[in-house]
Amino acid sequence: MPITKGQGNPDWTRDETVLALSLLYKHGKPVDRHHPDVHALSRLLREATIHPPADRNERFRNPDGVALKLQNLFSAVDPNRGLSSSKTDRALVEDYPPEKAADLERLASTIRDLIGRAEQFQPSSEDDESAFFVEGEWLTTRHRRRERKLRTKVLARRTEQQLRCEICAFSAPRHLDRFVQESYFEAHHTIPLAEAEGTRLTRVSDMALLCACCHRVIHKLMSSKRRWIGIEEARTLLVSASET
C-alpha cells in the first residue's frame, strides 16, 4: 500500500476521479506507483488548474497518491475487498460501472483535452444544486458559460413568433418589446456535456430555447437522476408531474 503523506492537499474532485477510474479500467486492476501510467497521470494532475497552487503542497497528486486512489476506486468497484472508498468514488462507479468503461473514457478524453489546452478552471458561482451535472464541475462550469455565450446567437435565429420554450411552450407576452421578451429565455445544449464541451464546435442547431424556469428544472433533473436528460424526456417528466 503506497504511503501518500498527502495531508493538507485538497480532496479529489469528480473530474480528477474520472481520470483515475479511466486508468483503473484500462488495466482492469490497480497498478503501482512505479508504473509509467501512474506517473503520467500524476504529472497531468499536477499541471492542471483544477486546484489553485496556494491550496497544494509539494506532495500534491504524487505517484503514491495516484496509486492509492486506484486502490480506493478498486474497492468501490468491488466492495467485497473491504477497503475504504470515498463518496465521490462510489458515486462515480455507480454512474460509470465497468460495462460503461467506453463512455467513461470519452469523458476522460474530454477532460484531458481541456487540461492540455491549459483551460482555466473557474468553479461555478451559481448554487450547487442547479450547477451539478453527472460529468463533473469543470465541464459543468464551462457548459453553462457556453450556454450564456451562445444565447444571443440562438435568439437571433428565432423570429418573434418562435420565441417559445421548447419544453413547456411558454411564450413571452406580445405587448412587451423584443428586448424584454428575450429576457424570459435561455439557451440549452441538446447534446451531452462530454460531446458539447469536447473538441467539436458547438453549432446553434445544437441548442434549444427554454424559458428560465424549464432551464433550471432540466438542470436539476439531471442532477437528481445523475444522467443526461433530453428535451423530449424532460417534457414527458414535467407533463407527468403536472397530471398527478
Side-chain angles (χ1 to χ4, degrees), residues 214-232:
C214 284
H215 195 207
R216 182 177 179 84
V217 168
I218 196 171
H219 281 198
K220 287 200 176 246
L221 284 171
M222 292 184 209
S223 177
S224 65
K225 294 183 178 295
R226 304 189 66 80
R227 61 179 175 83
W228 187 263
I229 292 178
I231 299 296
E232 290 293 336

Side-chain angles (χ1 to χ4, degrees), residues 18 47-48 157 228:
V18 165
E47 292 169 0
R157 291 282 296 271
W228 187 263

Side-chain angles (χ1 to χ4, degrees), residues 75-216:
S75 298
V77 174
D78 182 11
N80 293 327
R81 288 170 51 82
L83 299 178
S84 64
S85 59
S86 69
K87 181 179 179 181
T88 299
D89 295 346
R90 295 191 296 273
L92 184 62
V93 169
E94 181 180 347
D95 292 336
Y96 293 98
E99 58 268 25
K100 290 187 177 181
D103 293 336
L104 180 73
E105 175 51 32
R106 282 192 289 272
L107 177 58
S109 178
T110 300
I111 294 173
R112 287 192 292 267
D113 175 68
L114 296 179
I115 294 173
R117 288 190 276 133
E119 292 278 352
Q120 293 296 312
F121 175 65
Q122 299 176 355
S124 175
S125 60
E126 302 175 55
D127 68 280
D128 292 338
E129 277 190 273
S130 63
F132 184 72
F133 279 90
V134 176
E135 283 84 347
E137 188 177 5
W138 195 345
L139 292 184
T140 297
T141 300
R142 282 175 45 82
H143 176 85
R144 291 178 72 112
R145 193 183 307 136
R146 282 193 177 185
E147 287 183 338
R148 289 191 289 268
K149 184 177 180 179
L150 287 165
R151 176 179 176 273
T152 300
K153 293 182 178 180
V154 173
L155 288 167
R157 291 282 296 271
R158 311 297 174 102
T159 65
E160 184 175 341
Q161 290 73 27
Q162 291 176 315
L163 289 183
R164 183 182 298 274
C165 176
E166 295 179 35
I167 289 181
C168 71
F170 166 82
S171 58
R174 294 293 186 89
H175 68 278
L176 299 176
D177 61 41
R178 174 76 177 198
F179 177 77
V180 178
Q181 287 183 2
E182 290 180 353
S183 69
Y184 283 91
F185 298 95
E186 297 174 359
H188 175 73
H189 278 98
T190 59
I191 53 180
L193 266 65
E195 296 178 37
E197 301 296 340
T199 57
R200 68 187 293 278
L201 294 175
T202 302
R203 301 180 296 251
V204 173
S205 59
D206 293 331
M207 309 298 293
L209 191 66
L210 305 181
C211 68
C213 180
C214 284
H215 195 207
R216 182 177 179 84

